[in-house]
Amino acid sequence: MAKEEKRRIVLDIGGMHCATCAQTIEKRLPKLKGVIYATVNLAAEKAIIDYDPNVTDQKTIEDAICGVGYRVIHQNVTLQISGMHCAICAQTIEKALKQKEGVYKAVVNFALETATVEYNPAQISLAGIKNVIRDVGYDVVEPEAGAGVEDAEQKERDNEIRSLKIRLTFSAVVTVFVVIFSYWKFLPFNLPIESYIPYILFVLATPVHFLVGHRFFVGAYKALKNKNPNMDVLVTLGTSAAYFYSVYVTFSGVGQLYYTTAVSLMTFLVLGKLLEAIAKGRTSAAIRKLMGLRAKTARVVRDGEEMELPVEDVQVGDIVVVRPGEKIPVDGVVIDGYSGVDEKVITGESIPVEKKAGDSVVGATINKTGVLKFKATKVGADTVLAQIIKLVENALGSKAPIQRLVDVVSSYFVPAVLIAAASSFLFWYLLGEGFVFALTVFIAVLIIACPCAMGLATPTAIMVGVGKGAENGILIKSGEALETAHKLQAIVFDKTGTLTKGEPEVTDIIPVTSRVSEAELLQLAAVAEKNSEHPLGEAIVRKAMEKHHEVGNPEFFNALPGYGVEVKYDGKSVFLGNRKLMEKNSIDITQLEAKMKALEEEGKTAMLVAVDGKAAGLIAVADTLMENSAEAVKTLQKMGLEVIMLTGDNQRTAKAIANQIGVDRVLAEVLPGDKASEIKRLQTEGKIVAMVGDGINDAPALAQADIGIAVGTGTDVAMETGDIVLVKSDLRDVVISIQLSRATMNKIKQGLFWAFAYNTVLIPVAAGVLYPFGILLSPIFAAAAMAFSSVSVVTNASLLKRFKPKLEKQN
């Protein structure tokens, strides 16, 4: 019998409100097999658990806590990494982090040079995470005091490019002299130095090999130390084989010199790395631009005086003054002034938005004309821009499913190349082609292989795609969402607040008897809807206020979801709602049926009013369509997607609105709680479904859909809902997000195709399969081809920046 082992974990718990919550968790955990002891501290919101790791694990314990309705809070951090040279370096760091207790998830993005880590600070500290990265041979870029993370990233990239340029210049100059001395006898000079040529070449090539190639050697050492060979191992073996064989020939006097090959290889490899670094910098330009939008200072009124402060020092409640042409530093509500504000950086909308007292303003937008004075409501990490940046960073820190497959292939790639190079050497050597020929083939195979191209194809395309979306007010929350969106077959639109503005107006007031006047009917309906938050109810109340009717408080109010409301007022019992409400309460509406039908065929929502058990009349309300909704629907259909409208309206009203915008399939009379079920039913039909809703009332349906698309209203972004968030309420952005997903996936597939095709075709060529036809790939050309493959993949992905949506125009 295994001896009991005890391990302790401390977990941060969210969602607890009282002592009973703590007791609930404490009662549940001991029931788990393997849990020895559990206590929950409500004040500290922590759970301390002792358990036997031979019997259970931390995930099971956390699942049990979530199973009783609470959540385990994980910390997230994104770190800038330096020293990575290929995708296998990223895998090395990921593997090391995931092996550490307390690290739940680690994603290293080679293209962006970041590590996103989800961890438990009670088990591993941020410093501990950084140490793990450093222990496997890489470094964490620390921002300087007062500098933002993006400043540190840019500085690190600039330093890398500068270093590569210096190394390339030195290597290229030396290579020219090595070539000159290698072919000295063909030049029109007749100096007696031929016997010294090998030594001159040795002196020239040695600093190139060891100084310029230092980065590759260090990378190879780290990779071998971590038992995860990468591109640096291939490069080091290839260049070292050429260099050290030449050194042997120099001092033995037997054989052919390969110094030209050795230094030329190094020059091309460094050139490739430089071009790759420049191309990667361009792909992340959109993200850096987003981060650089923030204002640096703010003009704040304190103690009656204006003072200029760093934006980090602005506090909630501060009065901020912004003059024409200045950036608005933080989010707030205007208390004085009138101006047009350019919100393009947030919404992608180029037309300035008028702002007056009571209107919201957002940090990083630009005040165009007048002076605005506003009260700060959100500062620091709570601002809309900060949330957008965090969301984009999280998306870049995630991996698309296709990347996981590439990672598996990459992990076997280098060992396979080493075997292929060794096999090629032995084959040609044993075949009698000689050592020099076999060595040439060996070097060419090692150098031609390029795992970088495979590793860069997916993350660079996702980086550009997510950045391009963010530029246009489309926030894609993960690589998985970006990949899934291109597979969609059906798009379900919620009607109210999505296809329509959700700001309906009363169009008809029709009493049924002389007992109730038009004014009284409107007044009773307004009283009934006074406590309702439904847009239709708000329209009725607004109409009554415009008519100066007294809208008193009901003596009794009962909301009946999916039916309507029931109230008592001034001694009268009033029902207001749909047919089902009247049928449920046995109220005869026969005389109103014809009028209701006519109104519904016009696309209006007719609400029935009954007083003291008898039909009193009806009130019709019409919602206005969102601009460009018909254009969006038509384009989606042209793209081969089925467009479906989901609404609680009756069939006739729903069909009338659907006809206006060109939707063929309507799911009507769906209760709020049944929206998710309707999405699930569509999925059982085998469809990959997206749900488009306002991100608040439609949360369950958005969660159920394969892709949830939350439509924001201006700057009111529903950050927590949906896989894709559309900052502005323009349904054409639904089209653009899907087209962007398709364009991104095309770039990923193109990159992977060329990366795999390149290696599949050229590795055998380098191995000598075409030698019987007189074709043998020189190691120098192999180095040039390898450099070109990485650069071409990154450059191809960066072409996504030219993405332009294609929209069908309405007649």
Side-chain angles (χ1 to χ4, degrees), residues 328-525:
I328 293 172
V330 295
D331 298 1
V333 176
V334 177
I335 58 174
D336 188 32
Y338 179 86
S339 182
V341 175
D342 183 352
E343 296 185 338
K344 188 176 188 299
V345 295
I346 301 294
T347 66
E349 197 64 59
S350 57
I351 300 172
V353 180
E354 294 180 357
K355 299 291 181 180
K356 59 185 183 304
D359 290 338
S360 297
V361 289
V362 181
T365 56
I366 300 172
N367 182 29
K368 300 294 284 185
T369 51
V371 176
L372 287 178
K373 187 180 285 187
F374 68 92
K375 188 174 186 178
T377 56
K378 290 180 181 177
V379 299
D382 295 327
T383 63
V384 168
L385 181 65
Q387 292 181 66
I388 290 173
I389 290 171
K390 183 181 177 183
L391 190 151
V392 170
E393 286 176 337
N394 289 342
L396 296 176
S398 66
K399 282 192 178 180
I402 195 169
Q403 177 64 27
R404 298 187 189 110
L405 174 62
V406 175
D407 286 347
V408 172
V409 174
S410 297
S411 65
Y412 293 104
F413 182 82
V414 174
V417 171
L418 290 171
I419 292 169
S423 301
S424 301
F425 175 87
L426 289 172
F427 175 80
W428 291 110
Y429 183 71
L430 296 175
L431 203 64
E433 291 293 335
F435 178 80
V436 171
F437 181 90
L439 181 65
T440 302
V441 170
F442 175 76
I443 295 170
V445 172
L446 289 175
I447 297 298
I448 198 77
C450 187
C452 291
M454 290 187 289
L456 286 168
T458 301
T460 48
I462 286 177
M463 183 159 56
V464 180
V466 169
K468 190 69 180 176
E471 278 183 3
N472 292 281
I474 299 169
L475 308 179
I476 301 162
K477 296 173 83 170
S478 69
E480 186 171 358
L482 190 61
E483 180 175 337
T484 304
H486 92 286
K487 304 175 186 174
L488 291 171
Q489 297 166 305
I491 309 285
V492 179
F493 286 94
D494 179 57
K495 190 204 80 168
T496 306
T498 304
L499 285 172
T500 63
K501 292 182 179 177
E503 297 175 359
E505 295 180 354
V506 174
T507 56
D508 301 85
I509 304 169
I510 306 172
V512 73
T513 66
S514 57
R515 291 185 301 106
V516 180
S517 67
E518 183 177 307
E520 189 179 2
L521 185 67
L522 178 60
Q523 181 194 30
L524 289 172

Side-chain angles (χ1 to χ4, degrees), residues 282-300:
R282 287 173 182 160
T283 61
S284 60
I287 310 305
R288 293 200 311 276
K289 181 181 174 185
L290 193 65
M291 290 176 162
L293 292 174
R294 291 175 286 202
K296 305 295 183 189
T297 61
R299 190 177 294 104
V300 176

Side-chain angles (χ1 to χ4, degrees), residues 99-110:
Q99 288 174 347
K100 285 294 177 182
E101 189 176 13
V103 174
Y104 302 108
K105 186 179 177 184
V107 178
V108 179
N109 189 315
F110 170 50

Side-chain angles (χ1 to χ4, degrees), residues 534-553:
H534 196 284
L536 301 181
E538 290 175 355
I540 293 172
V541 174
R542 190 165 57 248
K543 186 71 172 179
M545 300 295 281
E546 287 171 6
K547 295 281 188 180
H548 304 293
H549 296 321
E550 182 185 347
V551 183
N553 291 314

